Amino acid sequence: MSDTLQSQDVLARLAATIESRKPANGGDPQASYVARLMAKGPDAFLKKIGEEATEVVMAAKDVDHGAGVDKLLYEVADLWFHSMIALSHYGLHPHDVVAELARREGLSGLEEKALRKAQDREAQESLNQPR
């Protein structure tokens, strides 16, 4: 099995587990970390995403100063996990992220950013148009 398919399988299985742990799907906040975070609402898991993002930055800085990459890998896995909880909450799936990355493939990051800015400007202008 290719690394890509294996990665997608792991993400799909994890997404299914997260989905099954939602309180709305019978997940028990007393028995499941995911259910507990989701029961507390978006502020709880969004705070965790912020904490994990900071830990990724700190681990990367440690690697820059001679630490092993294992801590960085661990922290990125935590960030991805908590991001997947947010995706599930908002009705999204890892394959949606992969599709977005595929859409961007081959685009210059600068071009993509300029396109987004232009689209945001157009959206703002249409909101400001008198009806």
Side-chain angles (χ1 to χ4, degrees):
M1 180 181 288
S2 76
D3 286 346
T4 301
L5 289 177
Q6 188 175 2
S7 297
Q8 289 174 353
D9 288 348
V10 169
L11 291 174
R13 285 193 308 271
L14 181 55
T17 299
I18 289 169
E19 192 68 25
S20 74
R21 303 271 170 85
K22 285 180 167 181
N25 294 336
D28 179 4
Q30 298 300 317
S32 165
Y33 173 72
V34 171
R36 188 174 327 138
L37 268 182
M38 290 185 132
K40 290 179 181 179
D43 285 349
F45 57 78
L46 295 174
K47 179 181 176 186
K48 281 300 293 181
I49 290 171
E51 291 171 3
E52 297 302 341
T54 299
E55 290 174 8
V56 166
V57 171
M58 293 180 343
K61 297 303 271 178
D62 288 346
V63 171
D64 287 342
H65 290 85
V69 295
D70 55 329
K71 178 70 171 162
L72 176 60
L73 185 61
Y74 181 87
E75 296 302 344
V76 170
D78 281 352
L79 178 59
W80 283 21
F81 174 77
H82 288 90
S83 295
M84 288 179 67
I85 292 171
L87 288 173
S88 177
H89 175 80
Y90 294 109
L92 296 168
H93 191 274
H95 65 75
D96 297 313
V97 177
V98 171
E100 176 59 17
L101 291 171
R103 183 191 69 78
R104 295 180 188 187
E105 189 174 13
L107 278 179
S108 155
L110 297 175
E111 290 171 357
E112 199 275 333
K113 186 175 180 179
L115 177 62
R116 258 186 303 157
K117 281 186 176 183
Q119 290 170 336
D120 290 346
R121 244 189 331 272
E122 287 175 16
Q124 190 62 39
E125 288 171 2
S126 70
L127 289 175
N128 294 332
Q129 294 292 325
R131 294 180 185 210

